[in-house]
Amino acid sequence: MTNKIKVLAICGSTRQSSSNHNIIKAFTALSNDIFDVQLYEELTHLPHFNPDEDMAPDSAPAPVQDFRRQLEQADAVLISTPEYAIGVPGTLKNAIDWTVSSMHFSKKPVALITAGTSGHKAHQSLLGTLLIIESRISDDTQVVVSSVRTKVNDQGVITDEVTLAAIRKLIQSLAGLADGSVTACLPPPSLF
Ligand SMILES: Cc1cc2nc3c(=O)[nH]c(=O)nc-3n(C[C@H](O)[C@H](O)[C@H](O)COP(=O)(O)O)c2cc1C
């Protein structure tokens, strides 16, 4: 394929030998023929979200504008994140909060992987957030990988067959959402 689909990958863990980073490595290798995956490297450089700094077009701090530019240039987004204290890691939620009023996730095909000891609570929370800001996510572009440290190694190889099959399916489904051949997405949740 000459024109690869551009995917911006965001890792919710800032840990040196992060399993989620290893999953992104695996995703990148497995999808090399269809996706051009760029890792977003500046998550910890984003300032704390403050709506006062985001009142006018282009008034947001420079790292935020750069993050938004990278989102704009991506055809799709991959998020792979751990769960902390049954919630979404603060650094990741902070980044997403900067995109709510700017609508940078609106209509964007998104693959969501939550990988941790369990991961289910953060996954549901993040799924709700991403859907309310109009991301396009299908049943097959989201997966929870529990006991992740037994399923992916430091070389970015997925050693668990079930997880490997789920990630392969997620890759095909994300490509389908991005090229328009798949249109069925999960509905937005109710606010109340
Ligand atoms: C402060 C802290 C809180 C955690 N809380 C949870 C949790 O609530 N649920 C869970 O599934 N895992 C939890 N974990 C375990 C992480 O999911 C696990 O360490 C995972 O490998 C972290 O992802 P990473 O390897 O990409 O850094 C927690 C880890 C830390 C350090």
Side-chain angles (χ1 to χ4, degrees):
M1 191 181 284
T2 47
N3 285 330
K4 290 190 189 179
I5 296 166
K6 288 188 194 140
V7 175
L8 184 67
I10 303 171
C11 184
S13 171
T14 54
R15 213 164 61 81
Q16 192 88 46
S17 48
S18 155
S19 303
N20 281 279
H21 191 236
N22 290 334
I23 286 186
I24 291 173
K25 279 195 250 175
F27 176 101
T28 304
L30 291 166
S31 65
N32 186 38
D33 54 334
I34 42 176
F35 292 151
D36 173 9
V37 181
Q38 296 295 323
L39 182 66
Y40 177 64
E41 312 250 23
E42 311 294 324
L43 200 67
T44 56
H45 296 172
L46 292 171
H48 293 158
F49 175 59
N50 180 350
D52 287 345
E53 294 180 44
D54 198 21
M55 298 297 278
D58 302 329
S59 71
V64 174
Q65 295 196 40
D66 178 62
F67 178 46
R68 290 174 177 172
R69 239 186 328 269
Q70 292 194 46
L71 284 168
E72 255 165 39
Q73 287 166 2
D75 302 309
V77 175
L78 164 67
I79 295 174
S80 187
T81 183
E83 172 173 284
Y84 288 155
I86 63 167
V88 178
T91 43
L92 176 61
K93 183 62 166 57
N94 182 59
I96 293 172
D97 285 346
W98 277 113
T99 71
V100 174
S101 54
S102 69
M103 305 286 283
H104 276 77
F105 273 91
S106 183
K107 311 286 178 275
K108 194 71 81 181
V110 172
L112 173 61
I113 301 169
T114 310
T117 308
S118 161
H120 289 276
K121 295 272 190 335
H123 191 80
Q124 281 314 309
S125 172
L126 195 46
L127 191 57
T129 298
L130 291 166
L131 290 172
I132 206 74
I133 59 176
E134 301 182 352
S135 299
R136 296 172 60 226
I137 302 176
S138 76
D139 266 333
D140 295 333
T141 66
Q142 41 121 5
V143 66
V144 176
V145 181
S146 300
S147 306
V148 65
R149 293 196 192 185
T150 65
K151 294 176 177 169
V152 58
N153 67 25
D154 285 344
Q155 286 71 50
V157 175
I158 295 171
T159 51
D160 174 67
E161 286 303 316
V162 175
T163 304
L164 183 59
I167 299 296
R168 284 192 194 282
K169 192 172 181 185
L170 177 138
I171 288 167
Q172 291 307 321
S173 305
L174 185 65
L177 281 185
D179 70 18
S181 61
V182 175
T183 53
C185 292
L186 294 168
S190 163
L191 265 182
F192 302 104

